[in-house]
């Protein structure tokens, strides 16, 4: 079976002092073996919560995974796993990289021990073998002098190096899925490219599937096979990378694309910025969540949630503009440029 | 649904700019927000009420009985609490109810004045050190480092031994002589941190005058932690005064404080435990309420916790 | 690291010297020299001897030099109240008793406090947390002498479980130790609780969870280790607190320790003893500050490096 992960109707809420925040509101997607999927959206749209839910890493309480949600890994329901099963699942089957490498490593533990830890847990290695394997892992993520570096502490590493260490930790047990939550956001632009390249290399080498969570469409262009655009806890448009970049249909996708800087002189214009902020997820949402910021907003958008329109086998969008009664609008110029 | 209404619904109306830029929640000033948070902290609010009662009682309490705090009634010595003497009498026949509130005056005054003096001195000292920086800062902080490497109570004992008079003044002097060091360090650290913060740099870059920077940025952002530190200092001073009185260096008879009363009651503990109970209860209650209030204020005033 | 320790030791000696100097001149600055006022009522011949014995016939700077010289040989002078009893004797005779009590109290206080704080942190907002925080609040607001009196009254007068006062077998140490360490337990429990809560919310805990390691490893290697390190910094005030506490606790329980000697000296205005004990306590405290500092460098890898780079 090629389908390694299938998420159905995932809904996650947070119970806070102010009420229930519905961070993720019914998300469906799947992941195939060896494929790279990108979840794209601005901060607070629920993409990180979705990613963490795949490993059940959201603290319960205050988080709550709603009844009817389903996450199937190789046909097995992750949400029904026992504590022991989920522990064996984390690290061994799925690895995760977090946004800020400066705070994601234990400051009082040697790098080698932090990599060896999951090897000892999941692969039944003794400490010495695990450290040998840790050296190999550091070598694979291009850390110079790995034999010496396993005895270093995180604060002796730069940000980019720490993110490489994080990748080594996440991939140590050769997991089938790697979840990368904004892995390059906290890094310098030059380092970003290196880290992405490394991830891509390791992906093809180990045949791992990757879920890349990011707010930056520029990052995913050469990386992902498919892109899901999220807004206010929902996926508003899905498609292959080509479909999203060339045939994107959702006004929010357009807005995201327009805010990627363009290097070509002839295309240079004022960088587009999307006005306003995402809706408060505490409040109930009747209409399309994007309505209040959408240039093409219609009366219906404010009243009813738009249905999903299938455009091709891989491409679907949730927008009232696709309704037969809606006026035809011209797509912005940005979609026609070369990617 | 008719054709017309469908058309109506599918007409592009776009987004009103004003709508999307509107901030959903009402804006609040720092102090309004702090007060809102403090109000929602039940323990802190109860503490404020209890503290208010305690302070009012130290003002009016001694006048509620027909006795004065130094009046000895020989035939009514060591009497347990009764309707005549609400908290009983001590070994010299003095009314404990009157003395508890009279002593409370001294204890609370020493706590409040001590904490205020220590804070003012600490703020000025820490502020100067942080403002000038460099060698001035270095020397000033070395001095503080030496001062804090002497155990506090040892200093207090030494100073109390040296000052001959036993009034509130000398106790205060003893308590304050190194009591300001903590505040000085706190204020210096906070200001140094603020000086590096982007909003202060931005203000400097925009050409805002130093005076404006100090009054608009540095002081408001330091005031919170100073208020919290005063709240935590007060019980510390009350405790130190009690301790001093306890070993015979504090306020002298016929004046009294809670510490002195507890000390005197210690000798009769086996036979008249109530004599210790009332002053001890007052000390505990005051320390408890100030600590809880301090906790509440810290949570309320810490901008990082603002939601 | 060695260079750093050496620097700290030098700094420590300097601090100690300043403390000694200040103490000496403060005592001698009291109007109508206190040493002299005690001798005033003696017959002239005896007074002259007395003056000579305590060096009072010399000028204050000369006395200071003499005092430092003697101090260097471990001689802190003689008691004014009990001539013939040297301060050094008092210290060597009574310090072990105070030391036993103090070490017992600090160990129990820190260990019990840390354990309770960790439990409270992990069981946040459930009954163990509420219980621990109740005890902690009690510890913060009950002065040690009130607690001592309470313990004495309940556990030795009413139930007769422990001796009321005095010094002897281990049984005698129970009540004073509890009275002394209760404050530390409370402070440490509160501190560790917030420290644990702070660490639990750190990103690296999420990383560790994502590795799928056992709960035991997670709590022990990742949470507790990181939460305990900052707790070392609040050790010095606890030590100072136990010094202070011992003064009253030893008096209440009639324990022949250094603390009760200091209180007696204060009440007798025995200035040489006060001065000697002040210096002794300061030295002890300054040394403990140094030890805590070095300990901190040993446990926290980040400090080790930043010290190296500042060299």
């Amino acid at each position: 079976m090629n389908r390694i992960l299938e998420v159905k109707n995932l809904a996650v809420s947070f119970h806070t002092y102010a009420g229930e925040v519905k961070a993720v509101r019914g998300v469906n997607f799947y992941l195939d073996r060896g494929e790279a999927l990108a979840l794209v959206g601005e901060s607070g749209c629920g993409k990180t919560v979705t990613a963490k839910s795949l490993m059940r890493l959201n603290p319960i309480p205050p988080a709550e995974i709603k009844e009817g949600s389903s996450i199937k890994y190789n046909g097995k329901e992750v949400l029904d796993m026992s504590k022991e099963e989920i522990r064996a699942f984390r690290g061994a089957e799925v690895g995760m990289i977090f946004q800020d490498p400066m705070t994601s490593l234990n400051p009082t533990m040697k790098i080698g021990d932090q990599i060896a830890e999951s090897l000892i847990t999941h692969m039944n290695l003794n400490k010495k073998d695990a450290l040998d394997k840790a050296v190999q892992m550091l070598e694979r993520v291009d850390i110079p002098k790995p034999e010496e570096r396993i005895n270093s502490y995180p604060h002796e590493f730069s940000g980019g190096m720490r993110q490489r260490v994080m990748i080594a930790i996440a991939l140590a047990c050769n997991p089938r899925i790697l979840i990368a939550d904004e892995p390059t956001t906290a890094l310098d632009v030059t380092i970003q490219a290196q880290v992405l390249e490394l991830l891509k290399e390791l992906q093809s080498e180990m045949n791992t599937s990757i879920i890349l969570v990011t707010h930056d469409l520029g990052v995913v262009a050469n990386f992902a096979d498919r892109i899901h655009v999220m807004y206010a806890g929902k996926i508003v448009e899905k498609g292959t990378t080509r479909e999203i970049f060339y045939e994107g249909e959702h006004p929010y996708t357009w807005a995201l694309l327009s805010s990627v800087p363009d290097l070509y002189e002839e295309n240079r214009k004022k960088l587009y910025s999307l006005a306003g902020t995402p809706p408060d997820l505490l409040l109930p949402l009747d209409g399309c969540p994007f309505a209040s910021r959408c240039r093409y907003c219609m009366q219906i958008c404010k009243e009813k949630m738009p249905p999903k329109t299938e455009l091709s086998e891989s491409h679907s969008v949730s927008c009232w503009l696709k309704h037969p009664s809606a006026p035809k609008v011209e797509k912005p110029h940005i979609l026609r440029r070369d990617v | 649904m008719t054709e017309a209404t469908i058309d109506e619904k599918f007409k592009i109306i776009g987004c009103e700019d004003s709508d999307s830029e509107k901030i959903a929640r009402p804006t609040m000033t720092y102090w309004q927000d702090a007060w809102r948070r403090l109000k929602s902290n039940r323990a802190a609010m109860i503490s404020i009420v209890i503290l208010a009662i305690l302070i009012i009682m130290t003002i009016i309490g001694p006048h509620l009985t027909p006795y004065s705090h130094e009046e000895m009634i020989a035939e009514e010595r060591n009497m347990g609490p009764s309707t005549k003497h609400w908290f009983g009498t001590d070994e010299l026949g003095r009314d404990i109810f009157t003395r508890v509130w009279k002593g409370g005056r001294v204890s609370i005054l020493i706590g409040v004045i001590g904490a205020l003096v220590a804070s003012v001195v600490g703020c000025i000292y820490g502020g100067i050190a942080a403002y000038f920086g460099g060698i001035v800062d270095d020397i000033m902080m070395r001095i503080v480092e030496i001062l804090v490497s002497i155990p506090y109570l040892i200093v207090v004992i030494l100073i109390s031994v040296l000052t001959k008079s036993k009034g509130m003044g000398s106790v205060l002097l003893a308590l304050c002589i190194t009591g300001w060091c903590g505040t000085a360090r706190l204020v210096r650290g906070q200001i140094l941190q603020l000086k590096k913060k982007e909003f202060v740099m931005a203000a400097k870059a925009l050409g805002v005058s130093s005076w404006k920077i100090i009054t608009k940025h540095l002081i408001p952002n330091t005031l919170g932690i100073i208020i919290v530190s005063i709240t935590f200092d007060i019980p510390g001073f009350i405790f130190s005064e009690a301790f001093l009185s306890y070993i015979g260096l504090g306020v002298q008879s016929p004046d009294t404080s809670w510490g002195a009363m507890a000390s005197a009651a210690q000798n009769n503990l086996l036979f008249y435990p109530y004599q210790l109970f009332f002053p001890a209860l007052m000390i505990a209650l005051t320390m408890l309420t100030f600590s809880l209030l301090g906790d509440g204020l810290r949570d309320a005033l810490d901008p990082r916790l603002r939601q | 690291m060695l260079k750093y320790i050496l620097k700290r030791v030098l700094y420590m000696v300097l601090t100690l010297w300043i403390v000694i100097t200040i103490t000496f001149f403060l005592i001698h600055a009291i109007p109508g020299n206190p040493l002299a006022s005690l001798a005033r009522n003696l017959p002239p011949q005896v007074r002259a001897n007395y003056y000579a014995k305590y060096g009072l016939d010399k000028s204050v700077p000369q006395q200071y030099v003499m005092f430092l010289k003697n101090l260097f040989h471990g001689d802190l002078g003689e008691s004014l109240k009990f001539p013939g009893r040297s301060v050094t004797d008092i210290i060597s005779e009574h310090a072990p008793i105070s030391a036993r009590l103090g070490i017992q109290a600090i160990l129990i206080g820190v260990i019990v406090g840390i354990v309770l704080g960790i439990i409270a942190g992990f069981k946040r907002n459930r009954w163990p947390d509420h219980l621990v925080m109740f005890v902690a609040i009690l510890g913060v607001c009950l002065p040690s002498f009130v607690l001592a009196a309470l313990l004495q009254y309940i556990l030795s007068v009413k139930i007769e479980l422990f001796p009321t006062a005095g010094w002897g077998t281990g049984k005698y140490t129970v009540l004073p130790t509890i009275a002394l360490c209760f404050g530390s337990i409370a402070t440490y429990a509160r501190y560790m609780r917030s420290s644990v809560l702070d660490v639990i919310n750190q990103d690296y805990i999420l990383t560790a969870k994502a590795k799928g390691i056992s709960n035991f490893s997670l709590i022990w290697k990742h949470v507790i280790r990181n939460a305990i390190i900052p707790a070392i910094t609040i050790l010095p005030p606890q030590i100072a607190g136990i010094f202070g506490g011992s003064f009253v606790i030893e008096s209440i329980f009639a324990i022949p320790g250094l603390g009760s000697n200091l209180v007696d000296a204060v009440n007798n205005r025995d200035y040489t003893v006060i001065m000697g004990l002040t210096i002794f306590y300061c030295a002890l405290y300054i040394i403990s500050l140094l030890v805590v500092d070095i300990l901190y460098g040993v446990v926290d890898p980040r400090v080790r490096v930043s010290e190296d780079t500042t060299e």
Side-chain angles (χ1 to χ4, degrees):
Chain A
M1 187 175 149
N2 208 27
R3 190 141 300 180
I4 190 161
L5 187 76
E6 183 138 35
V7 176
K8 279 202 177 127
N9 207 15
L10 178 68
V12 185
S13 286
F14 287 88
H15 297 278
T16 69
Y17 74 99
E20 183 184 345
V21 177
K22 292 179 181 145
V24 177
R25 312 178 175 220
V27 160
N28 299 285
F29 65 89
Y30 64 87
L31 186 67
D32 283 338
R33 222 172 276 274
E35 167 188 55
L37 170 72
L39 290 180
V40 182
E42 64 199 305
S43 4
C45 72
K47 54 195 192 310
T48 297
V49 176
T50 307
K52 281 187 188 165
S53 302
L54 302 180
M55 288 173 86
R56 280 175 42 191
L57 280 177
N58 288 309
I60 299 172
E64 184 202 352
I65 295 181
K66 290 288 191 186
E67 203 67 35
S69 306
S70 157
I71 299 170
K72 281 212 164 82
Y73 172 78
N74 272 343
K76 187 163 168 46
E77 180 57 60
V78 174
L79 297 177
D80 291 341
M81 284 184 182
S82 68
K83 276 189 176 175
E84 280 68 37
E85 284 174 311
I86 193 79
R87 222 173 275 144
F89 172 70
R90 290 173 183 167
E93 310 289 335
V94 188
M96 187 157 180
I97 307 168
F98 299 95
Q99 177 168 0
D100 189 356
M102 304 314 271
T103 57
S104 297
L105 290 166
N106 185 339
T108 57
M109 215 168 155
K110 288 176 181 168
I111 294 294
D113 291 337
Q114 297 197 44
I115 302 174
E117 209 177 17
S118 47
L119 290 164
I120 295 169
T121 313
H122 298 299
M123 306 191 108
N124 287 323
L125 297 181
N126 61 33
K127 176 124 186 185
K128 201 190 152 293
D129 293 344
L131 282 176
D132 287 344
K133 183 87 198 296
V135 173
Q136 287 172 25
M137 283 313 297
L138 282 182
E139 210 163 2
R140 278 178 91 166
V141 295
D142 301 332
I143 300 265
K145 295 194 210 150
E147 306 81 18
E148 292 167 28
R149 285 310 218 159
I150 54 165
N151 289 318
S152 303
Y153 288 93
H155 62 90
E156 297 167 77
F157 284 64
S158 68
M161 297 243 280
R162 287 192 209 187
Q163 200 60 299
R164 287 165 193 274
V165 172
M166 279 301 294
I167 294 173
I169 290 174
L171 291 178
C173 296
N174 205 355
R176 301 324 310 145
I177 302 176
L178 177 67
I179 302 171
D181 183 5
E182 305 251 11
T184 58
T185 308
L187 302 176
D188 287 347
V189 182
T190 46
I191 310 287
Q192 282 187 7
Q194 288 175 17
V195 168
L196 281 175
E197 210 165 285
L198 175 70
L199 274 178
K200 196 77 199 158
E201 247 173 66
L202 290 170
Q203 184 203 8
S204 56
E205 198 179 310
M206 301 168 86
N207 196 26
T208 310
S209 311
I210 291 191
I211 297 177
L212 178 70
V213 175
T214 180
H215 64 276
D216 184 357
L217 265 179
V219 162
V220 299
N222 300 313
F223 190 90
D225 301 312
R226 288 186 298 132
I227 298 175
H228 291 0
V229 179
M230 279 189 83
Y231 190 80
K234 280 181 164 287
I235 293 179
V236 292
E237 183 163 11
K238 301 177 179 181
T240 63
T241 305
R242 272 200 76 80
E243 284 164 338
I244 295 293
F245 273 85
Y246 291 100
E247 295 150 33
E249 291 287 354
H250 200 283
Y252 181 62
T253 311
W254 299 341
L256 280 180
L257 283 169
S258 315
S259 44
V260 177
D262 198 320
L263 283 181
Y264 296 108
E265 193 70 40
E266 64 267 27
N267 291 343
R268 196 168 287 170
K269 50 169 185 6
K270 193 164 166 273
L271 200 58
Y272 177 77
S273 92
L274 179 59
T277 49
D280 196 335
L281 293 174
L282 267 171
L283 310 171
L285 277 176
D286 294 327
C288 170
F290 190 57
S292 65
R293 300 167 78 189
C294 182
R295 276 195 215 181
Y296 311 98
C297 175
M298 300 174 289
Q299 192 57 40
I300 185 84
C301 302
K302 296 191 170 181
E303 290 165 8
K304 267 175 108 177
M305 206 71 95
K308 193 161 100 177
T309 314
E310 305 273 357
L311 301 170
S312 78
E313 202 185 317
S314 54
H315 194 184
S316 67
V317 63
S318 303
C319 180
W320 281 115
L321 284 176
K322 290 284 113 193
H323 193 271
S325 308
K328 295 284 162 268
V329 295
E330 199 189 334
K331 288 183 194 173
H333 165 73
I334 191 83
L335 288 175
R336 276 172 258 137
R337 71 159 190 213
D338 292 319
V339 177
Chain B
M1 220 187 291
T2 64
E3 275 302 307
T5 53
I6 287 178
D7 278 349
E8 194 62 30
K9 294 220 182 228
F10 282 96
K11 213 172 124 199
I12 291 179
I13 50 178
C15 55
E16 308 101 68
D17 277 339
S18 59
D19 194 40
S20 62
E21 290 291 350
K22 200 178 71 192
I23 294 167
R25 298 177 197 181
T27 51
M28 273 184 170
T29 67
Y30 175 63
W31 297 107
Q32 280 175 330
D33 193 35
W35 174 238
R36 176 186 67 81
R37 288 146 143 299
L38 189 63
K39 268 199 300 195
S40 65
N41 185 332
R42 220 184 320 149
M45 292 316 282
I46 294 173
S47 295
I48 290 180
V49 172
I50 294 178
L51 269 178
I53 294 173
L54 279 175
I55 290 168
I56 292 171
M57 281 309 284
T58 59
I59 297 167
I60 62 166
H63 305 295
L64 293 180
T65 60
Y67 317 100
S68 91
H69 70 283
E70 41 192 350
E71 182 184 353
M72 297 179 233
I73 307 172
E75 56 275 16
E76 291 175 4
R77 279 182 293 176
N78 291 327
M79 276 176 50
S82 64
T83 47
K84 194 156 181 236
H85 298 283
W86 296 332
F87 287 179
T89 58
D90 67 6
E91 55 179 347
L92 296 174
R94 295 176 292 197
D95 183 59
I96 292 182
F97 183 84
T98 315
R99 285 177 68 75
V100 158
W101 300 120
K102 193 82 184 172
R105 244 184 239 187
V106 174
S107 288
I108 290 182
L109 268 183
I110 284 182
V112 173
I113 296 176
L116 284 180
V117 170
S119 302
V120 169
V121 174
C123 284
I124 295 171
Y125 194 95
I128 290 174
Y131 187 81
F132 288 104
I135 185 96
V136 178
D137 179 39
D138 240 27
I139 292 171
M140 288 179 87
M141 282 302 122
R142 280 290 140 90
I143 292 173
V144 167
E145 247 171 69
I146 289 171
L147 285 178
V148 295
S149 62
I150 312 169
Y152 179 60
L153 281 174
I154 293 271
V155 181
V156 172
I157 288 175
L158 197 64
I159 300 298
S160 321
V161 167
L162 294 180
T163 51
K164 291 269 160 113
S165 81
K166 286 290 173 286
M168 245 174 76
S170 66
V171 173
L172 268 175
L173 175 74
L175 293 177
C176 289
I177 202 130
T178 59
W180 52 270
C181 289
T183 318
R185 283 179 145 186
L186 198 71
V187 169
R188 172 184 171 268
Q190 179 76 5
I191 290 185
L192 281 187
Q193 238 180 17
L194 287 173
K195 267 168 84 178
K196 274 189 275 175
K197 283 271 164 68
E198 284 79 1
F199 64 87
V200 175
M201 291 211 204
K204 266 190 199 156
L206 287 171
V208 178
S209 70
S210 302
W211 174 249
K212 268 265 171 69
I213 290 180
I214 291 174
T215 53
K216 288 269 169 206
H217 293 300
L218 298 188
I219 292 180
N221 280 296
T222 320
L223 213 52
I225 62 161
I226 293 172
I227 290 176
V228 173
S229 106
I230 291 177
T231 321
F232 280 119
D233 276 352
I234 292 174
F237 277 95
I238 292 178
F239 176 81
S240 302
E241 185 279 326
F243 173 87
L244 268 188
S245 300
Y246 197 86
I247 62 173
L249 284 174
V251 187
Q252 301 294 304
S253 196
D255 276 331
T256 192
S257 71
W258 289 335
M261 289 181 76
S263 172
Q266 191 88 49
N267 305 325
N268 302 328
L269 177 70
L270 299 190
F271 312 106
Y272 312 109
Y274 66 89
Q275 291 181 359
L276 177 67
F277 176 76
F278 292 106
L281 176 73
M282 293 307 157
I283 295 175
L285 211 53
T286 315
M287 306 250 274
L288 176 69
T289 47
F290 270 114
S291 304
L292 290 178
L293 181 60
D295 279 347
L297 279 173
R298 189 185 49 205
D299 294 345
L301 292 174
D302 195 336
R304 279 170 304 170
L305 295 171
R306 244 178 139 186
Q307 282 172 338
Chain C
M1 188 72 188
L2 199 72
K3 208 171 152 195
Y4 169 71
I5 293 174
L6 212 69
K7 209 169 88 186
R8 286 301 313 260
V9 171
L10 271 175
Y11 197 58
M12 184 184 95
V13 172
L14 181 77
T15 309
L16 199 56
W17 173 70
I18 293 174
V19 169
I20 290 168
T21 309
I22 294 176
T23 317
F24 180 88
F25 283 102
L26 274 180
I27 294 269
H28 285 261
I30 298 174
N33 192 331
L35 309 188
S37 66
L38 270 171
R40 197 175 301 137
N41 301 328
L42 300 169
Q45 187 52 43
V46 183
R47 184 161 60 188
N49 283 341
Y50 184 89
Y51 270 38
K53 186 166 171 223
Y54 289 99
L56 292 176
D57 46 348
K58 299 193 181 67
S59 69
V60 173
Q62 272 175 317
Q63 287 183 46
Y64 174 63
V65 173
M66 208 171 81
F67 180 76
L68 278 189
K69 219 185 268 171
N70 289 339
L71 185 68
F72 199 71
H73 297 292
D75 179 8
L76 283 163
E78 252 179 42
S79 163
L80 290 175
K81 194 78 184 174
F82 307 103
R85 246 172 97 65
S86 80
V87 177
T88 329
D89 282 348
I90 295 178
I91 291 175
S92 60
E93 193 179 317
H94 298 285
I97 295 173
S98 291
R100 164 151 189 212
L101 202 60
I103 291 171
Q104 223 167 289
I106 201 98
L107 280 182
I108 295 176
V110 170
I111 293 171
V112 174
I114 285 180
V115 170
L116 287 182
I118 289 172
I119 293 172
F122 278 110
K123 302 276 175 203
R124 192 185 180 190
N125 290 335
R126 272 174 281 171
W127 70 264
D129 180 25
H130 295 308
L131 187 69
V132 169
M133 282 304 107
F134 178 72
V135 172
I137 282 284
L138 218 60
V140 169
C141 69
L142 268 189
S144 54
F145 52 82
V146 172
L147 181 69
L150 220 64
L151 288 172
Q152 232 177 10
Y153 188 71
I154 296 170
L155 291 183
S156 69
V157 178
K158 288 282 168 206
I159 322 186
E160 294 183 23
L161 216 54
F162 297 102
T164 316
W167 189 251
T169 54
K171 233 181 164 181
Y172 284 88
T173 67
V174 176
L175 294 188
T177 305
I178 297 176
L180 266 181
C181 72
F182 203 62
S184 294
I185 292 180
T187 317
Y188 258 98
R190 276 164 70 109
Y191 192 88
M192 275 308 287
R193 177 180 184 267
S194 61
S195 187
V196 163
L197 290 180
D198 187 45
V199 170
I200 284 179
N201 288 320
Q202 293 291 322
D203 287 348
Y204 56 80
I205 296 303
L206 208 58
T207 309
K209 272 190 194 161
K211 284 183 205 166
I213 54 172
S214 68
N215 247 340
F216 176 80
S217 294
L218 182 76
I219 291 173
W220 187 249
K221 283 193 198 158
H222 294 274
V223 180
I224 292 185
R225 207 182 148 172
N226 283 293
I228 272 184
I229 287 175
I232 294 173
T233 51
I234 62 162
L235 201 52
Q238 299 311 308
I239 296 172
I242 292 220
F243 284 172
S246 73
F247 304 157
V248 286
I249 299 298
E250 286 179 9
S251 302
I252 293 175
F253 288 100
I255 294 166
L258 221 47
S260 50
N261 263 285
L262 179 67
V263 174
D264 289 345
V266 164
N267 287 323
N268 294 333
R269 295 292 187 270
D270 192 340
Y271 291 101
T272 43
V273 177
I274 294 175
M275 191 158 72
L277 291 187
T278 301
I279 292 169
F280 179 73
Y281 273 114
C282 287
L284 214 58
Y285 186 59
I286 293 171
I287 292 170
S288 72
L289 283 181
L290 177 73
V291 171
V292 166
D293 242 30
I294 294 173
L295 193 68
Y296 196 80
V298 171
V299 235
D300 192 343
R302 282 164 296 186
V303 177
R304 256 177 273 162
V305 167
S306 62
E307 289 302 341
D308 289 345
T309 49
T310 50
E311 293 288 337

